[in-house]
Amino acid sequence: MGERRRVRAYVGLGSNMGDATTTLAWAVRALAELPGESLRGVSRLYGTAPWGVTDQPEFRNAVVALDVPAGVDPATAALELLARLKDLERQAGRRRRRRWGPRELDLDLLVFGRHRISVERPPEARSLDAGVDPGKAARRLEVPHRDARERLFVLAPLADLAPRLVPPGWAETVASARRRVAATEPPDAVRVVGSWDAASGRWV
């Protein structure tokens, strides 16, 4: 019965190494092909200024909406999805690097239905940077993503798909959060650089 129930999950995508746009298009297609999951939406593609560590190339960011099995409980289902995301990062060639540094592919679980989750990550769901970033070694999975409401490179594409969504624990919609954070950022911090073309499976 649990496998028949579905949860709407939002996943953030980021890359700034190599052909980042092509990498993110591959990631969207790979997410759409995961067994038991359904791709329900793809945001526009954004060019975004680096956050945290600024001496690196500009990022490409997007968000996808997935309907995934609810599983036996929200935490277990979210961890199963997270493990799949980490596996896709490895397939894309992601390597261990410094915190907030360059990324071949970064996949973050932003929102998981109406659930608030805080749970220890098993080894298969831990960050690939855990070995070089002690801050990530024991980090719990927290959903909604604990930094999402303050990061424009997350809020902008998420607002494309769910502007009226109020994630659990938030006191504002995604669109309101985007406007609030955008008012504090330079005008060119986040800009649209493409739209998803489902027929070709890429951004144009």
Side-chain angles (χ1 to χ4, degrees), residues 3 17 29 39 53 56 62 113 118 136 145 147 158 188 199-200:
E3 288 301 313
M17 297 193 69
R29 296 192 300 268
L39 182 68
V53 176
Q56 59 179 312
S118 179
K136 291 187 175 181
H145 193 288
D147 298 321
L158 183 56
D188 60 347
S200 64

Side-chain angles (χ1 to χ4, degrees), residues 78-88 90 122 124-125:
L79 286 172
E80 288 175 353
L81 174 57
L82 184 63
R84 290 182 167 189
L85 300 183
K86 297 307 169 187
D87 183 57
L88 290 180
R90 293 184 182 92
E124 65 272 16

